[in-house]
Amino acid sequence: MTNPLPASVDETLELLQRGDYVAERSLATALYLALKLNRPLFLEGEAGTGKTEIAKVLSATLGRRLVRLQCYEGLDVASAVYEWNYARQMIEIRLAEATGEKSRESLGGDIFSPEFLIKRPLLQALETGADGPPVLLIDELDRTDEPFEAYLLEVLSDFQITIPEIGTIKAEQPPTVIITSNRTREIHDALKRRCFYHWVDYPDAARELDILRVKAPNVPEHLSRQVVGFVQRLRGMDLFKLPGVAETLDWAQALTQLDRLELDPDTINDTLGTLLKYQDDIAKIQGSEANRILNQVKAELSAAHPA
């Protein structure tokens, strides 16, 4: 069942909350405006901060189909937009030759028709289904190259795609477009101008604790506070890759599976691989450094929540 778009920023916050997404008001404002004005929303930030999840939540709460284009180096039109079904075209040509019913000119027009078109995510996103226009997620755009960015300009500005053999295919209703980037490289200004922009930052301690309560309700409150305090301190250090919210959730769930009710130095050392993804970072934190951070976290929590 398709649900109506939110009519205000507050309703957008409620929409995200229904999808178990804990958002700050600035993000809800950017999302509301993008939905209201039919503009793509470009979300940039570090990996693991919840950018991709926004498109998934929108699809679920609005009751619309999610079309996902996962970007990678070397992504081309055939994989992202469309390609011709060459096997079917060859069969059609052989049948026409065998029967002699079609001239070369008419056959050329027949085999380059929509029925021989294989639609990839971008072309699929222009189709409005029974549940309304889809949610198009263009994920990790920074992994592609600049020529593909240039190809997207027509799609993002006019919600249409030009196929030389057929012509221009335009969406009856614009899809909701979410674009994400981990900022491994800069995205061209021409693409950004066609979008509304929002930087998705690491959450502060209070919001990260709320996220844990929503996403991992089985984790004890005391342990959640320690986990969040420890992760927040790690993000202030010079590490190769700072842990995102996804890693915080993974770590909290892993500790719960080990039946831990609070952090201790040995457990931290044994489970750092669920939180940090590079050996140099793990080596820097393991041992005395982890113990020092844990003592600081416990002291802060004791002062804030005396027994």
Side-chain angles (χ1 to χ4, degrees):
M1 177 181 176
T2 304
N3 297 316
L5 296 178
S8 65
V9 175
D10 289 334
E11 286 189 15
T12 306
L13 275 171
E14 293 172 5
L15 184 81
L16 293 171
Q17 289 169 1
R18 288 203 302 272
D20 291 339
Y21 192 96
V22 181
E24 54 189 0
R25 191 172 184 85
S26 59
L27 171 59
T29 301
L31 182 57
Y32 165 70
L33 292 172
L35 292 172
K36 188 72 173 178
L37 300 175
N38 287 329
R39 295 287 294 276
L41 180 59
F42 186 88
L43 300 174
E44 200 166 39
E46 298 294 336
T49 52
K51 303 182 295 297
T52 300
E53 189 68 16
I54 292 172
K56 296 179 180 178
V57 168
L58 276 181
S59 172
T61 53
L62 293 176
R64 297 184 179 183
R65 176 171 52 104
L66 176 65
V67 178
R68 179 171 181 169
L69 175 62
Q70 183 62 54
C71 298
Y72 54 87
E73 186 178 353
L75 181 65
D76 58 8
V77 171
S79 300
V81 192
Y82 74 94
E83 66 177 326
W84 293 106
N85 191 333
Y86 297 114
R88 283 195 61 193
Q89 287 175 324
M90 288 303 299
I91 291 172
E92 186 74 9
I93 291 171
R94 297 305 183 199
L95 289 174
E97 288 177 345
T99 59
E101 292 179 355
K102 297 181 180 179
S103 66
R104 179 176 297 180
E105 291 75 14
S106 63
L107 179 61
D110 289 343
I111 64 172
F112 288 106
S113 58
E115 66 178 296
F116 293 96
L117 202 61
I118 300 175
K119 299 176 181 178
R120 301 305 186 195
L122 290 182
L123 194 55
Q124 293 172 14
L126 301 185
E127 297 178 334
T128 300
D131 55 354
V135 175
L136 171 61
L137 169 61
I138 303 176
D139 205 19
E140 298 184 328
L141 180 61
D142 52 319
R143 292 182 179 271
T144 63
D145 51 22
E146 290 187 4
F148 185 76
E149 275 187 52
Y151 187 89
L152 285 177
L153 299 182
E154 180 184 17
V155 180
L156 299 180
S157 59
D158 299 318
F159 298 107
Q160 67 181 34
I161 289 171
T162 300
I163 301 175
E165 298 87 349
I166 294 178
T168 299
I169 298 176
K170 189 176 179 66
E172 293 181 8
Q173 293 179 269
T176 298
V177 182
I178 303 293
I179 304 171
T180 73
S181 168
N182 294 334
R183 207 177 187 182
T184 58
R185 68 173 181 85
E186 287 295 330
I187 301 300
H188 199 278
D189 289 345
L191 188 140
K192 286 186 174 181
R193 282 199 304 269
R194 287 160 170 79
C195 308
F196 290 158
Y197 177 88
H198 185 78
W199 174 265
V200 182
D201 208 348
Y202 295 116
D204 59 19
R207 190 158 70 89
E208 192 158 27
L209 188 59
D210 286 341
I211 293 171
L212 266 180
R213 289 173 181 146
V214 171
K215 293 288 190 180
N218 59 318
V219 179
E221 179 74 11
H222 181 65
L223 179 60
S224 292
R225 291 184 183 276
Q226 288 187 338
V227 165
V228 168
F230 196 93
V231 172
Q232 289 282 327
R233 286 194 169 271
L234 286 184
R235 293 194 186 123
M237 300 180 67
D238 183 22
L239 299 177
F240 185 78
K241 173 63 179 70
L242 300 179
V245 180
E247 283 73 36
T248 304
L249 291 168
D250 286 344
W251 195 35
Q253 293 282 22
L255 294 169
T256 303
Q257 289 298 314
L258 294 173
D259 296 324
R260 298 296 188 269
L261 298 178
E262 67 174 3
L263 289 177
D264 61 79
D266 289 339
T267 300
I268 292 173
N269 290 333
D270 291 342
T271 59
L272 272 178
T274 63
L275 187 63
L276 302 174
K277 306 302 180 181
Y278 289 88
Q279 177 57 30
D280 289 349
D281 290 344
I282 293 174
K284 182 181 291 188
I285 300 301
Q286 269 182 335
S288 60
E289 184 64 14
N291 194 37
R292 182 188 68 82
I293 297 172
L294 179 59
N295 288 335
Q296 290 178 340
V297 170
K298 286 184 174 181
E300 286 183 358
L301 289 177
S302 295
H305 306 278

